[in-house]
Amino acid sequence: IGVIFPLLFALAVILISKYAGNAHLDTDMVLMGEVIYAGLNTVAIGGAEIPSAALKMGELVLLIAVFITVFYKELKVSAFDGEYARLIGVPTGILFYAFMSLTSLTTVAAILVISFFIAPGATALLFTKHLSHTLLLALLVSMANSALGYALAVHMNASIAGLCAVINMLVYLLALLMGPKGAVTTYIRRKRSMQQMQRDLFLLHIGRHTAERVESAENHANEIGDHLKWDASKVRRVSRELIDQHLLHRAGSYYLLTDTGAAAYKALCERYFI
């Protein structure tokens, strides 16, 4: 796909520019196609005019759905472990060429199909690793991207096919950042973990020193930062979070544990020291 499709596509552009230079052709339509024209060629079925493109694509969708449903197990094992599939008698060669034939039919029938071959599946893989879930999620993503791309293209008076491909890319990039292992999600998770560690450390510090003496320099509001090696803003933030969670309260200039905080301190001691 990565080599043959661009090669033949580029060859088509060369032939058009060389032998159809004087023809009045819409470059965007020739290079990317125009989805809106697909409904002009219709066939009559039961007294209703149905776009022939929708009929052909519907038949292709049905064929692909039946093929995947019938040969799901065989396709799964041959795709991920071809040697084992051959050992148990799965006709991997026939399945491979059948799958590639359906892929070729889809490539010929669709517009800007490379984008939909890659982006929805890549997006789905960021959220699930189960094959059936990936197939379903990729289908839903491609449908949503198509609908959103079409709506924006109509609103902006832009190329429908081109904008659908752009939406595919943007949705994938958003998923790459916001997915379970995305950069933004990882940053948020790491930040929350760090804040939780700071709260745990604060509780452990207060619990340990108030067990020895209720009021000491170690739990004094103006001096605790020196003992924890924290600046005043961090002390205020962490203490405020603990007070909001009813784990800590302030008695004059000293921080003390509440009953809930004492139970949390005991649990932390068991977790970290036993």
Side-chain angles (χ1 to χ4, degrees):
I1 293 174
V3 175
I4 300 301
F5 190 91
L7 173 63
L8 297 180
F9 196 86
L11 181 60
V13 174
I14 294 172
L15 293 175
I16 290 172
S17 63
K18 183 172 180 62
Y19 296 106
N22 296 324
H24 296 286
L25 295 174
D26 188 325
T27 306
D28 291 337
M29 186 182 69
V30 171
L31 295 181
M32 295 187 296
E34 185 52 75
V35 178
I36 200 171
Y37 294 148
L40 299 180
N41 186 16
T42 62
V43 293
I45 298 180
E49 294 291 329
I50 299 177
S52 59
L55 188 61
K56 293 176 182 178
M57 292 303 295
E59 293 173 350
L60 183 58
V61 167
L62 181 60
L63 177 62
I64 293 173
V66 170
F67 177 77
I68 292 178
T69 302
V70 173
F71 299 106
Y72 178 77
K73 293 181 179 179
E74 291 80 0
L75 285 169
K76 182 178 181 180
V77 69
S78 61
F80 294 100
D81 195 342
E83 187 65 29
Y84 173 73
R86 284 189 289 271
L87 288 174
I88 63 175
V90 174
T92 56
I94 296 176
L95 285 175
F96 173 79
Y97 286 110
F99 189 73
M100 287 299 101
S101 297
L102 290 175
T103 303
S104 300
L105 286 174
T106 307
T107 305
V108 172
I111 298 174
L112 282 183
V113 71
I114 296 298
S115 172
F116 282 92
F117 275 161
I118 299 172
T123 302
L125 282 172
L126 295 174
F127 293 93
T128 178
K129 298 301 181 183
H130 196 285
L131 181 58
S132 60
H133 296 169
T134 301
L135 292 174
L136 179 60
L137 184 58
L139 177 62
L140 295 176
V141 169
S142 62
M143 293 171 63
N145 290 353
S146 299
L148 181 59
Y150 175 81
L152 289 177
V154 171
H155 178 73
M156 299 170 59
N157 192 25
S159 168
I160 296 174
L163 203 50
C164 284
V166 171
I167 293 299
N168 270 334
M169 179 195 70
L170 294 178
V171 169
Y172 172 71
L173 291 178
L174 182 63
L176 195 63
L177 293 174
M178 303 300 295
K181 295 183 179 180
V184 175
T185 307
T186 301
Y187 171 78
I188 294 174
R189 189 185 300 114
R190 185 181 296 117
K191 184 176 181 180
R192 288 178 177 175
S193 177
M194 181 62 68
Q195 291 174 345
Q196 184 61 50
M197 289 180 63
Q198 291 171 353
R199 290 192 292 268
D200 290 348
L201 179 60
F202 201 100
L203 278 180
L204 288 169
H205 180 84
I206 297 297
R208 176 184 177 185
H209 291 286
T210 54
E212 300 172 356
R213 183 180 176 185
V214 175
E215 297 179 355
S216 64
E218 283 79 3
N219 67 321
H220 193 281
N222 296 328
E223 299 183 35
I224 190 172
D226 296 333
H227 295 277
L228 293 174
K229 307 300 180 183
W230 291 356
D231 56 40
S233 62
K234 182 183 289 189
V235 172
R236 286 195 299 270
R237 177 180 60 80
V238 176
S239 62
R240 184 171 58 251
E241 292 173 356
L242 291 171
I243 290 172
D244 291 340
Q245 295 176 8
H246 306 290
L247 300 175
L248 194 72
H249 71 94
R250 183 164 172 172
S253 298
Y254 296 92
Y255 289 114
L256 300 173
L257 296 180
T258 63
D259 292 339
T260 305
Y265 166 72
K266 182 178 180 181
L268 287 173
C269 290
E270 294 176 352
R271 182 193 310 172
Y272 290 117
F273 303 119
I274 297 179

